[in-house]
Amino acid sequence: MEKKNTSAKYERLLELFFRAIRGESLSISGIAAEYGVSTKSVTRSMNELKIFLAEHRELVGNAELVYSYGDRCYRLEMDEFLTNKELFALVEVLIGARAFSKEELLKLTGKLKRFSTRRDREKLISLIGKEIMEYPEVRHDCESVTDRLWQIVDCIYEKREISIDYYKMDRSFVTHRLRPASVMFTDYYFYLIAFKTDGNTERPLYFRIDRIKDMVEHRENTGSRGSDFDEGLLRRRSLFMWPGGLRRFRFEFSGPSLQAVLDKLPTAVVVDRYDGKYLIEAETYGDGIIMWLLSQRSWVRVTEPEEFVLQMKNEIKKMLDNYD
């Protein structure tokens, strides 16, 4: 009988601890009634939890059961809990990114909310509830972006080659065998940055992860196939996920926010300033930079190299022809 009571006591203690972790307010009288024990027994359990937290800070961090005299409840306060402002910022980023299906977004935000206090959780639900209900999903061709993303990350870490069945922009279907190098997020989508399996690291290829229908992992190790590149530099140059070689160029910028340009182009450097204009030098992979430069209206003028200047002129002429 004593062994059974001891087992029930420790089970109750663990339940109370995990309920506190989930942000629940623990009332002595309420817990006593729920478990059919005395309030003294519950108080002893709370004291044991407080002692455990105090003596194991190297394990649990700065955590403490705090008693509120206002509603006569214990609540767990710990540094690992996200504050309302931190959680709100994270959820707003998730909503604005539109990278996940609504189902995945609800699952992610639900898990995040568990790391907030009960009081902060209710406020958060009130603030973001309508945004989540009206969340505009982006169409995906894979069943789960998070599952596919982690599968690719695992292959990058293990340096394994992969084969993917991929839907192109025109909805045609192709198969590629690749050496995955990195993943990035930009403009609503996660992208795989990869190279062909012939060892060429001069020109990366970009694939929207949500368009990867199927994927096969191979035993071949990419580390033995000459995949020698600077991942940090690759990511700074791979901004627009558009195919093409490395492009080095200069352009004048006369717009109101130089910082916005430098933030958008991590490789950008201001090399001169004159007549209210900044001369900027940068480098990126592919032709996606053309679309971004054109989006900057008359604030931008490409100055070199000459072939890029001609390319920009031709593109602008085509745009003007659309309005004839």
Side-chain angles (χ1 to χ4, degrees), residues 12 25 47 69 80 104 136 145-146 159 164 170 205 224 227 247 261 271 298:
R12 182 175 69 247
S25 300
N47 288 334
Y69 289 94
E80 281 72 16
E104 288 177 311
V145 173
T146 52
K159 300 184 182 299
I164 62 171
D170 61 3
L205 303 174
S224 63
S227 57
R247 183 193 300 274
V261 175
V271 296
S298 60

Side-chain angles (χ1 to χ4, degrees), residues 257-290:
S257 178
L258 172 66
Q259 189 59 50
V261 175
L262 298 180
D263 289 341
K264 183 64 177 179
L265 303 174
T267 61
V269 177
V270 177
V271 296
D272 200 358
R273 181 179 180 181
Y274 47 82
D275 301 329
K277 302 175 183 177
Y278 296 93
L279 181 62
I280 299 172
E281 186 176 83
E283 57 183 20
T284 65
Y285 282 112
D287 292 337
I289 184 62
I290 297 175

Side-chain angles (χ1 to χ4, degrees), residues 156 159-161 179-181 195-196 198-201 221-231:
I156 293 172
K159 300 184 182 299
R160 289 196 298 270
E161 291 184 4
R179 293 183 296 108
F195 295 95
K196 293 182 179 179
D198 59 7
N200 180 9
T201 60
N221 188 293
T222 63
S224 63
R225 301 291 293 276
S227 57
D228 182 20
F229 60 87
D230 183 335
E231 183 175 345

Side-chain angles (χ1 to χ4, degrees), residues 234-253:
L234 174 68
R235 292 172 66 87
R236 291 195 297 275
R237 289 171 169 173
S238 302
L239 301 172
F240 302 100
M241 304 303 148
W242 201 262
L246 181 63
R247 183 193 300 274
R248 295 183 178 89
F249 59 97
R250 287 189 174 191
F251 65 96
E252 292 177 343
F253 179 73

Side-chain angles (χ1 to χ4, degrees), residues 7-39:
S7 176
K9 172 189 171 182
Y10 285 121
E11 184 176 335
R12 182 175 69 247
L13 196 64
L14 285 171
E15 287 182 8
L16 292 177
F17 182 52
F18 278 97
R19 289 170 67 172
I21 288 177
R22 293 173 71 98
E24 187 173 335
S25 300
L26 303 175
S27 162
I28 296 292
S29 58
I31 295 297
E34 181 181 344
Y35 286 94
V37 296
S38 67
T39 55

